[in-house]
Amino acid sequence: MSLISALQFLRLNEIPEAWVDAVWDLEFTERKPLDDTVAERLSVSGDKDFRTLYQCLLDHAADQQDGALQSIWSILGDNRVSIKTLVAVLSFFVLAGKAKTANVQQRVSSLQAASLYLLLLGVQGSIAAKVFHEVLLDTCSDLTSHCWPEDSRKKRKKDGPKSSQADGKRSKPQWKDTPEVEVNEADEEEEEEEEELHFSAQDLVKIRDAVVLLVQSLLRLLQTFPLKDKPQSADNCTQILSKLLHFEPVTGEMTFAPPQHITQLRSVPEMAFCGLQLLCSSKHGDQKESLRRVFHRLLYIILMMNKGARGKPSLLIPSQAVLSTRDQTIQFVCHLVDKFKEIALPVLQILLQHICFQMVEKSDFRSHGAQAVGMLTSQMTSKDYACFIKWLFKFSNSSKMVCRLFSVDVVMVLLEQPERGPQECQDPELSCFLPHKFLIQNLLFARRDDESPSVQGHALACLAQCLELPSFNVTRAVHNLFSATGTQTVLEGEITEGSLSSHQTQKSYQTLLFKTVEITNADSFQCEAKENLAHLLRRVKDSKTHVRKSALQALVGLLKHSVIPLSWENLAMLSERCRDPAVSVKKKAMQCVAELLAAKPESSVVQKAWLQGVVPALVDPENSVRDKALEALEQVLLNQLKPYSASRHLDAAQRLTWDLLGLLCSECRNLSWYFSRAFPIWCKQNKFTEALIANLISHTEADHTAGAWLLLSKVTASSIRVPHGKILDTWDSMVRSKNVTTTTCCHILCVMGDIAEHLNEDTKDRIVADLMSWLKTFTLSLEGICAGVQTLYQLGRSEDVKQTQAFLTLHCGELMSVCEAYLAGVLLREKGAKNLNEELTVKHLHTLGVVSLHCPAKVSKRTVLLVESVLMMAVTEGQEELPASHSQFKANSLPTRVRAHGVLTLGKLCLQHEELVKKYLPVFARELEVGTEVAVRNNLVVIMCDLSIRYTNRVDNYIPNISTCLQDSEAVIREHTLIMLTNLLQEEFVKWKGSLFFHFMLALVDPVPSVVSLCEYCLVQVLLKDNPEMFSQHFIECIFHFSDYNKHKSYNRFPQSEREKARFSLKGPQHRGKRFRIYRFMLEHFTDTQRFNITVKINQTILACFADEELQLDADGAEVLSETFNILSLKEMKLQAMSAPMEGAEGEEPEDENMATIVKAVLQVAQKKVVSQVQKKAFIENTVPIIISLKSLLEQKHSPVLRDLMAYLHVTMQDYRYEVKELFSGDEQLAAELEFDLKMAENEKEMSKQVDNCSLTGDARIPPAQGLLQGSPVRSAPLLPFIFATPQPPPPNPLAARLAHTDRRLQSSRPELVQSMALEGTVMQKQGVDARAISTPKGVDINLTFGEGVSVIFSDRGTSLVSETSVLHVRSKEEQAPGLRQWNVQSPLRQRNNSSKD
């Protein structure tokens, strides 16, 4: 078919010339309507007509290129076809399809007409034929975004993010279905107003085919039509093709080699990549500029963002389609770099910089971004890679938290790549950036001190992951941070990595070159390693949850890989964190100790740490923590109980089980009570099957019999039936041999007592006889005696209470008689104490005390007197108190251990006889005060606290005597007193009366850290949970009590002895730090309501009393008032709703934003506003009148407290900086003084900030990798220097010291501040003034940029704009220039008064 025939359906001869001229005059920006008749005739044009014309044009263009046929333009001219009219008619179809209400046929015709125009434009001679129009070219190229239906996108916006398959009715290509995180509300409302059109699957196929034709036409155009002189069109084409990458998914692997023919490309994204590659050819302009343009558009695809024509890029949800497109884009960039080599590498540097700089905080985006950086850097040469690492080092010190966070992610990806040797880089200044050691020490580990807890935690977590990498040099670099070696081998280059096969993951070492070995001093390395480890251990106790978790992970990694020793000091940190206040940290710590146990199962100290961490978690208040501990114990202990056979060796898991059980029987016996809590739960879960119990009993004959009996004792205590035969046989052999260990003996006795109810009478009688004979020999340990007496009770217990009592009276009475006889022989005979057997005497005393609890009726007066004679002189009837000058316990020749056990025995006798309590309680209290034996005093505390449970009212008067032990000279007594009193307070046997609370609080400033830690735990984790108002109820009285002020009518009026006052006094300036430590601790655990109420109460009960002169402003009163103002000025007094940052800003891992977090943030803002208004109202009504009155009074009395009042106001008015006059309208002078003080404080703060930002040198060179580790961004980076506009007089003797440079931005933004920086004694060297203008800086690097948003990415450290000699110098005091003018500063009030006088 001829070309002219194919053009007939366009009816070009019927088109009015005026209409054509009007269309060209409108520059194709809007659609010019045609005559209805002509428009109707054109509307009947179908797909077949357009495709026929397209094929004719395509054939003629091909033949014209070969020179076989006449040119298209000659044919059109010969047939009088107006090219101007042809272009106008095609634009008519094109613009019709852009409308949102266009139907399917209009959209298809629009795309086909655009394809025809692009094909015509690509024909040789189109420029001369005046076919080209830039606006029409851009419109045709971007027609896909208008013709592809957008209804699915609107639904996504209304319903929230969904997957591409969520539409249900029809599937569409992915490029428009990509959901966005951020939605422009204005566009959404505009779209909702448009009529929504529906398209069938057949309709979408038609449109998609037309889109393919359009893209193919665009590719044909780019192959023949140069855009060298049309940069705007080239940029638009780049943007259009980059958007088409999201059009539809690509099946199969994509190759970027140029196809032989365009029709071989099946998918739209493949065509788009081909088009982008064509745009990078020299035909379309400078290749470096073309690459810059293409990389700029691909940047947002790699970042998974949607970048519109304007505005901030919006994030895409990282669906599978988005991730696939991103991966293909990265491969395409690598292909371009490999193709263009040196031309592409500088632009690749900028692409990497922008990926880093525009990264967002979301963890999944950071992870994908870091992977992209790693893949792209693999295409770099070693020199370019070193330049990027140098830039990354500066980037890691950025002031933006997300930049520092992302630098850590990038480092972790780069460490997974093969290490580049320094010999690969010819530049010696860059070679130091190539080793992995630099990445670890200067980029990763340097973030351990970051000001952001999120960055700190992430860096520590990544440090632990480094040890898991199969790279020797990486692990060696981590080793160097925490362990010191005396020998440092100096080679020509770093050790290179050995090859790792797919089946071999261990690190391989290369043979060292035979070189000289230099010995360096290891002291500095050792000191640095110790400091690094100490820093990590401090991070384990950090205040932020996320930091603690990451530090735990790092610590476990170092322990697993033997970087640091498996010492108990290091392992105790892990066990301690299993009791962390935060549930997530507890779980992390338990996971860490389990991981360490799996890696080091043979280490006994690791086994102990695991037990210390996991077993106490069985009583954790959090259910999930208890479940995790149960699961761990079940997996390690119960599941490994296999039948025992002497001929079969235990495997590693079984050995671990019995080693752990052995530790529970020896070093970790204190965990037995916690361990018992697991068995009732396991019993309910039917864990103890008959087979399991049979396996357990079989191990009683093995070497690890102690662990087997431990488990059996716990099992039988849970009322689980076990076979008796084997247990009785073991009992008989134990009675005969009597060489069983104490712990095993106790467990066997417990088992015998638990199975007693299932034994017949004959067996019971035999066991009782054996047990009595064993007890009478007193060969058992003290624990064994307790277990034996308890077993004796269980053997004699029956349903008849009288029968049980008779049994106990008979057998326990017999034991008491034996004990009395022995003690009488020792204590009553002359010289009996000289031949004393201390161990035997202690056992008799202990047995006497234990059995007396079971048969109180057998306790006679002789028994009491015998025990009393161990301790003291006789106490006559009715005598309750003796002189306080000496101890009531006589100084006899008995050892302290015997006397300590005598006290315990006497206490047990008192438990069953109230008359003994009445008699001995005053003696116990006196001995607490004046006794000298530590063990005796310690046992007295235990006795008196036990007595208070049974005889609460009688012991209540002696609670102050017990609480006095909180200031005992021995730390062990202070700890035990804390524990005992906490138990009594928790069970409400003791109340917060008198001085008890203040004695308790004083333990917060104990000199021993373990006592302080215990006190904090008791107060916060135990007592405060039961009584949330505990601190707020006692806070005001604490102020009076610790200041020893008793002139208030209501506070500090309870009775105290002089000795008690002297011991617990915190009065005086020397104890100010201790007092405020207590105040701060209490305030930290206040709620905002309590802070608000306590502030009001302080105003009413303290400040108002002084203002009304109810309390005198004498020396003591002034001290209390000063203390009160200092307390009100504490930052802990501020409401958290006003002072705390938004939740999630710091401390936790960055989480993705969702609607809940947004709503929470909005509520926080609203709450802060409401609280601020309430607080302001209360301040005006309650505080301001009192403050004005107090200020007047203090001025009259010339009191130094006035300074504290003004300091308090200065702190308080920071929140009301611009409302001073309104708040203090009743005292204009005070308001003026406050305004003046606040203004001066702001100036001082601004000046100090400028001084702090200064640096001693302007050089921002990067230290080598082997140098000191870089600090956190808290330390200010060196800023740019400034110079004076006028020359300064030279100093007589310029000193070597330099004043630090000031930021260059200071000149443009605050010129008056720059001038004020010429302070007294500061001058500029004459030769230091540079002759160059500031607008022409010297030596500034001009980097290639994307020209949008961020032109060039500089680090915070900047580049010096002046020479090294242009520095400031400071004179010494002796060399200061005389006669400098002094500042004349007057307050605003004084100025106003002077003007009024005039």
Side-chain angles (χ1 to χ4, degrees), residues 992 1022-1031 1033-1034:
W992 290 119
V1022 180
L1023 300 176
L1024 189 62
K1025 289 183 177 180
D1026 294 336
N1027 182 12
E1029 301 293 328
M1030 177 178 68
F1031 288 154
Q1033 289 173 348
H1034 295 87

Side-chain angles (χ1 to χ4, degrees), residues 1273-1345:
V1274 178
R1275 299 185 299 185
S1276 301
L1279 298 177
L1280 304 177
F1282 70 92
I1283 60 176
F1284 289 100
T1286 56
Q1288 301 295 312
N1293 292 312
L1295 300 178
R1298 297 174 178 177
L1299 185 66
H1301 300 309
T1302 310
D1303 194 345
R1304 63 176 173 182
R1305 293 170 294 181
L1306 203 59
Q1307 293 186 341
S1308 59
S1309 61
R1310 296 292 299 276
E1312 71 281 0
L1313 188 56
V1314 175
Q1315 295 174 7
S1316 69
M1317 288 292 289
L1319 299 179
E1320 179 180 341
T1322 303
V1323 296
M1324 174 66 73
Q1325 277 187 315
K1326 185 175 182 180
Q1327 61 271 24
V1329 180
D1330 201 336
R1332 282 182 301 104
I1334 294 180
S1335 60
T1336 57
K1338 180 181 179 181
V1340 177
D1341 263 344
I1342 305 298
N1343 291 341
L1344 294 174
T1345 74

